[in-house]
Amino acid sequence: MSTEDAIAASNGDDSPRYRVAVRALCEFTARAGDLDLRFTPAPTAQQGIAGHQVVASRRGEHYEHEVTLEGRYGALVVRGRADGYDPVRQRLEEVKTRRGDIEAMPANQRALHWAQAKVYAALMCRERALETIEVALVYFDIEHQQESVLVETMARPALEAFFVAQCERFIDWAEQELAHEAARSRALSQLAFPHADFRPGQRALAESVFKAISTRRDLMLQAPTGIGKTLGTLFPALKAMPGQRLDRLFFLTARTTGRRLALEALTTLGMAAARKEKAAHKDESNHEDEAPYEKEGSAPGVRTLELIARDKACEHPELACHGESCPLASGFYDRLPAARQAAVLQGWLDHASLRAVALSHRVCPYYLGQEMAHWCDVVIGDVNYWFDTSAMLYALTRQHQWRVSLLIDEAHNLVERGRAMYGAEFDQGRFAAARRDAPAVLKRPLDRLWRQWKALLREHDGDYVCLEAPPRKLFNALSQFVTSVGDLMVDTPIGIESALLDAWFDAMQIGRIAELAGEIDPGHYLFDIERRGRSATLSLRNVVPAPLLAPRFEAAHAAILFSATLSPGHYYRDQLGLAATTPWLEMASPFEAGQLEVHLAGHISTRYRDRRASLVPIAELMACQFHQRPGNYLAFFSSFDYLEQVSEALANHAPDVPQWSQARRMSEPERDAFLARFTMTGQGIGFAVLGGIFGEGIDLPGDRLIGAFVATLGLSQFNPVNEQMKARMETLFGDGYRYAYLYPGMTRVVQAAGRVIRSPEDRGVIHLIDDRFRRGDIQTLFPSWWALPVEHTT
Ligand code: SF4
């Protein structure tokens, strides 16, 4: 279904053709009834592949499997690979791996399977000139390795009529898509930068992005705040789409603010294009009709979708996702065609617009969003959608063979996010809770699991133990537990107790991660046990996500990673799995050294052993700065404990200085209240933890923030886990301390300090508090536009 395929395929009269996979065609045309996402466990991808192989191995030598078939209907080219064909019996087989009794399968799912089988059968009849054919649905139960086969003998005319009916249902949509793709290409070719001038550095940024995408290369860009990164990357990426025949552009970000900025930039582009078109239209006709893009939030010629998490999009969090529970799941597929059509006409599908379309058609907004990911040109969402173990956008790209560009915002976050996506935990407490209330049928697998866990703990004594090898026996017991819960769910699809569900999800994640860890160099994972009191946790800790992220970069036409902090380049290349040849560019800052005073308090040590002695000097320094220039400041510390101690010292030393502090586990309203104190006329010091929620991603321009104190080097806590990480980094990269501690720490410091100067008009001050900031190797990690630090003498 790629644009390239659609445009390139010609039917001889040069009219464009639209390629569609059999599966995609049937999902579009043959789905009806309710959305039903009850937890009926599906086989994993590996189990599915293995199941297909077993079925094929049971057939004779003459059996053909994975048979490529293609058929045309009007502008449509329908392609796919049938699972198997037995030429002796003239039987076409569509194989589905599953668990449990096929009688429990919803009727609409069965109908979809039949539709696929019939389309393949029709194509087979055409290709081999058959008048009749046996069409078989083979359900393979992966647990019991048994087949249930449903067979019908069908005549060619009936199958042909079925095929034509499916194509007829799709053809209007396909023609609409072809017209949209052509219009999109025209609009993007004419796209102009929306402002009279680029900001300083922004033109170079945009040119680099355009060149990278046009030469099909990844690119790392370090660009400071204020340069207009979002618009400066989106504009060239859109411009490059027609020339490179790209199907999709994915803007991936780790934060909600990143999504908002991307939507704003697209709106700016759309409004500018509308003005241009309106002016041209007025010149031609002297009328003042509204140009087609001039409506709120519309990008030029592209359909835009914002993907948000299910818990934020769900309209009925107290209900379950199936038709008997949720009214927006009931009849979902019956109402989906109208909702989908309305959504593409809307074209601009941010959270609010998508919700409005969904509710007006009484379908679930979250699942309408998942559907629209098939049909939108620009998708804005979390990095998970491309990089995690079950990433939807990545899966769609493979399924449709799209050519896509990635814009990865605040890309420095991808190291930690990658580690988290590819990690898992066995938490004793969660499994104990599941075991307490588990039904009798799960007693044996849970007892076995518990025995293996206890044996592992007996074998490995101590508060922290790094295992030399993965605990296979425990993993096997977890796998049996997963199977047993799966079997139970086939019989009881709802009503499973939530502690049990949590443990089941954990166990499945452990299984997935253990499998992935086994496929790559073992040095990239740590398996460790931490004891806290009477409980213990086994962690499958990803140390370096590079080998798991690298294939995701390779699947994209080009990936542009940008951030204010991507230094040093080799560290991020090594961590993220980018090729050693991936260019790293630093964009000139729009800021001048004169805008920011950088002070260095080298007479203070913030090392753990020196903390007590540091409290009063830090409080004095803060009070002195505040009295010299009253206004809003942020102060960053390495931990809540340290933050509280300095806060108390400041309250004793200078009770007149207003102050407020970040608390542990703040709710969203509490966070907003913390930030709301930074008003243009406000005064005081907000205490926060470095690397926390206020350390990056917040924007306090002008007098809302005039300075920051950073009383830490940002180094991760010195503990056994981090020491193990350091040892692994040493083995892998020969630079353990910098890779495990220094580089991530300095990224946090520069991000936090970056809160002060947000525009060329801002003026401010930063106090770097620790003697280690004097070191040359640390100062090379400061942004190049900073002035040399001025050292305090007392
Ligand atoms: S509204 Fe919520 S409960 Fe209903 S289908 Fe959507 S996500 Fe599920």
Side-chain angles (χ1 to χ4, degrees):
M1 227 187 290
S2 75
T3 310
E4 184 201 10
D5 286 344
I7 303 298
S10 162
N11 64 359
D13 58 4
D14 281 342
S15 58
R17 285 194 179 275
Y18 193 92
R19 284 181 194 262
V20 60
V22 171
R23 181 176 152 194
L25 174 75
C26 294
E27 282 177 354
F28 191 97
T29 60
R31 277 196 141 149
D34 295 353
L35 182 83
D36 190 345
L37 290 161
R38 275 176 271 204
F39 292 121
T40 43
T44 63
Q46 282 83 356
Q47 287 169 332
I49 293 166
H52 277 76
Q53 285 168 349
V54 172
V55 172
S57 70
R58 290 175 178 175
R59 306 298 186 254
E61 276 193 358
H62 57 282
Y63 189 74
E64 301 170 32
H65 57 97
E66 299 278 301
V67 187
T68 300
L69 294 167
E70 180 176 306
R72 294 186 172 189
Y73 180 80
L76 275 187
V77 179
V78 181
R79 290 194 70 174
R81 272 191 298 199
D83 289 325
Y85 180 63
D86 182 338
V88 177
R89 299 171 77 171
Q90 282 189 204
R91 176 191 278 194
L92 181 126
E93 294 191 328
E94 178 66 12
V95 180
K96 302 289 178 194
T97 50
R98 59 173 283 109
R99 289 172 186 272
D101 185 2
I102 61 168
E103 295 306 322
M105 182 187 297
N108 59 352
Q109 201 177 336
R110 176 85 58 82
L112 178 64
H113 295 162
W114 270 120
Q116 288 173 11
K118 285 184 193 177
V119 169
Y120 282 126
L123 296 177
M124 184 62 85
C125 285
R126 276 189 182 189
E127 190 168 302
R128 309 235 174 151
L130 307 176
E131 287 311 312
T132 59
I133 189 169
E134 278 185 18
V135 187
L137 268 183
V138 180
Y139 288 107
F140 182 72
D141 181 336
I142 52 154
E143 291 311 322
H144 306 99
Q145 304 279 298
Q146 282 174 356
E147 296 176 29
S148 305
V149 185
L150 310 176
V151 194
E152 275 189 47
T153 301
M154 298 190 189
R156 178 174 173 170
L159 288 169
E160 185 66 22
F162 184 82
F163 174 68
V164 168
Q166 306 312 303
C167 292
E168 283 285 334
R169 271 184 224 161
F170 188 69
I171 196 110
D172 286 350
W173 182 270
E175 283 171 358
Q176 173 183 282
E177 289 304 287
L178 285 172
H180 167 71
E181 284 159 6
R184 184 189 75 184
S185 290
R186 279 196 303 278
L188 293 182
S189 303
Q190 292 161 13
L191 187 65
F193 193 67
H195 303 302
D197 282 316
F198 287 88
R199 289 190 202 174
Q202 198 181 27
R203 178 186 289 278
L205 173 87
E207 285 173 357
S208 307
V209 172
F210 186 82
K211 193 170 158 200
I213 296 176
S214 300
T215 52
R216 204 177 174 177
R217 273 198 304 192
D218 297 338
L219 174 64
M220 303 169 74
L221 282 169
Q222 180 163 285
T225 307
I227 201 171
K229 285 192 286 281
T230 310
L231 185 60
T233 51
L234 267 169
F235 169 67
L238 287 167
K239 273 301 267 186
M241 282 181 83
Q244 293 299 305
R245 293 188 298 180
L246 295 175
D247 300 294
R248 300 290 186 266
L249 172 62
F250 298 147
F251 188 98
L252 306 169
T253 174
R255 292 178 184 273
T256 311
T257 44
R259 289 205 315 264
R260 187 175 44 73
L261 289 173
L263 290 166
E264 283 171 12
L266 286 165
T267 301
T268 305
L269 282 164
M271 298 302 265
R275 280 195 300 275
K276 196 172 150 202
E277 190 159 326
K278 192 172 182 177
H281 193 62
K282 196 176 166 188
D283 285 349
E284 278 171 20
S285 64
N286 227 11
H287 290 308
E288 294 207 20
D289 295 347
E290 194 177 86
Y293 308 129
E294 194 167 39
K295 52 186 180 184
E296 195 197 347
S298 77
V302 295
R303 296 179 193 146
T304 301
L305 172 68
E306 179 187 16
L307 287 173
I308 61 170
R310 193 170 82 171
D311 58 348
K312 297 246 165 59
C314 178
E315 291 290 319
H316 298 291
E318 72 289 1
L319 302 180
C321 301
H322 60 87
E324 289 161 35
S325 173
C326 177
L328 299 179
S330 172
F332 176 89
Y333 289 111
D334 301 330
R335 293 189 294 278
L336 179 61
R340 182 168 50 206
Q341 183 63 33
V344 297
L345 289 177
Q346 167 72 21
W348 177 259
L349 300 171
D350 65 353
H351 175 34
S353 308
L354 181 73
R355 178 171 182 267
V357 172
L359 296 187
S360 70
H361 288 82
R362 288 179 295 121
V363 296
C364 166
Y366 176 72
Y367 288 105
L368 180 62
Q370 305 273 298
E371 169 68 19
M372 295 318 296
H374 291 253
W375 310 111
C376 286
D377 310 295
V378 177
V379 182
I380 299 164
D382 190 274
V383 287
N384 279 344
Y385 284 107
W386 185 262
F387 288 104
D388 84 2
T389 49
S390 54
M392 179 183 67
L393 294 177
Y394 173 67
L396 285 178
T397 298
R398 286 175 54 120
Q399 182 189 335
H400 296 299
Q401 298 182 352
W402 284 333
R403 289 156 73 99
V404 306
S405 288
L406 309 177
L407 295 179
I408 305 169
D409 178 36
E410 301 294 352
H412 63 277
N413 285 305
L414 194 51
V415 179
E416 273 308 318
R417 290 294 300 276
R419 283 186 189 134
M421 287 175 213
Y422 291 100
E425 261 187 16
F426 176 93
D427 181 283
Q428 178 174 322
R430 280 163 78 92
F431 280 85
R435 194 165 168 246
R436 250 192 319 271
D437 301 318
V441 54
L442 293 178
K443 188 172 181 333
R444 275 184 65 185
L446 275 166
D447 284 352
R448 177 164 184 257
L449 177 58
W450 206 246
R451 277 198 305 279
Q452 292 301 339
W453 173 239
K454 290 292 171 189
L456 187 71
L457 290 182
R458 274 197 303 279
E459 234 177 278
H460 300 284
D461 209 4
D463 289 345
Y464 178 81
V465 190
C466 187
L467 307 181
E468 282 174 13
R472 294 281 166 221
K473 287 183 184 165
L474 180 74
F475 288 170
N476 289 340
L478 279 163
S479 164
Q480 287 189 0
F481 165 68
V482 168
T483 303
S484 303
V485 178
D487 288 347
L488 176 67
M489 284 184 176
V490 169
D491 301 331
T492 324
I494 49 172
I496 299 262
E497 206 269 322
S498 80
L500 185 58
L501 268 186
D502 289 344
W504 186 59
F505 286 133
D506 287 356
M508 284 196 294
Q509 176 70 353
I510 291 169
R512 266 195 297 270
I513 297 304
E515 203 170 296
L516 284 173
E519 290 169 8
I520 59 173
D521 175 347
H524 291 77
Y525 269 90
L526 283 177
F527 298 91
D528 60 29
I529 297 172
E530 284 178 289
R531 284 182 170 84
R532 274 187 221 96
R534 297 181 59 189
S535 193
T537 303
L538 166 76
S539 298
L540 288 70
R541 237 180 262 279
N542 178 257
V543 178
V544 179
L548 301 162
L549 300 182
R552 305 299 171 100
F553 286 115
E554 281 159 21
H557 177 86
I560 312 295
L561 298 93
F562 53 99
S563 165
T565 48
L566 269 187
S567 284
H570 63 82
Y571 166 75
Y572 284 100
R573 275 190 210 104
D574 289 344
Q575 297 298 301
L576 299 178
L578 293 157
T581 52
T582 306
W584 184 95
L585 295 179
E586 182 170 15
M587 295 295 125
S589 172
F591 309 142
E592 291 168 4
Q595 287 182 250
L596 183 70
E597 292 172 35
V598 182
H599 293 277
L600 202 162
H603 61 294
I604 299 174
S605 162
T606 63
R607 292 172 187 84
Y608 189 72
R609 62 170 186 268
D610 300 324
R611 292 257 167 97
R612 185 158 291 283
S614 74
L615 302 179
V616 171
I618 294 175
E620 286 173 349
L621 187 152
M622 292 168 87
C624 178
Q625 173 66 45
F626 182 84
H627 288 136
Q628 261 180 25
R629 191 181 166 199
N632 292 315
Y633 293 85
L634 268 167
F636 293 100
F637 300 88
S638 53
S639 66
F640 282 102
D641 284 348
Y642 199 10
L643 175 159
E644 284 157 10
Q645 289 167 20
V646 177
S647 166
E648 195 182 325
L650 180 65
N652 291 334
H653 176 73
D656 60 311
V657 178
Q659 55 163 293
W660 57 98
S661 293
Q662 177 184 350
R664 292 173 172 87
R665 290 177 287 281
M666 275 173 132
S667 65
E668 231 164 288
E670 287 169 337
R671 291 178 194 194
D672 293 345
F674 180 95
L675 291 174
R677 295 195 61 165
F678 293 86
T679 61
M680 291 303 267
T681 53
Q683 290 188 359
I685 302 178
F687 281 64
V689 168
L690 193 78
I693 48 178
F694 302 117
E696 62 173 282
I698 59 165
D699 198 19
L700 300 168
D703 285 346
R704 292 189 67 194
L705 185 71
I706 62 167
F709 306 91
V710 183
T712 165
L713 222 58
L715 307 183
S716 303
Q717 203 187 0
F718 179 82
N719 62 29
V721 174
N722 288 328
E723 283 298 283
Q724 283 293 336
M725 299 283 270
K726 179 178 135 191
R728 290 295 173 91
M729 296 290 186
E730 185 65 37
T731 307
L732 290 165
F733 306 109
D735 200 357
Y737 169 71
R738 287 191 177 83
Y739 272 57
Y741 289 103
L742 185 62
Y743 295 150
M746 285 306 294
T747 296
R748 293 179 201 119
V749 168
V750 176
Q751 276 290 337
R755 300 309 97 203
V756 178
I757 303 297
R758 310 299 290 171
S759 78
E761 291 74 44
D762 279 4
R763 294 280 179 279
V765 58
I766 297 171
H767 289 270
L768 301 172
I769 304 169
D770 193 283
D771 59 288
R772 287 164 291 180
F773 282 118
R774 284 176 175 152
R775 279 173 23 198
D777 62 331
I778 287 182
Q779 293 196 6
T780 57
L781 298 169
F782 293 169
S784 53
W785 67 272
W786 282 12
L788 279 177
V790 177
E791 178 133 13
H792 288 276
T793 49
T794 54

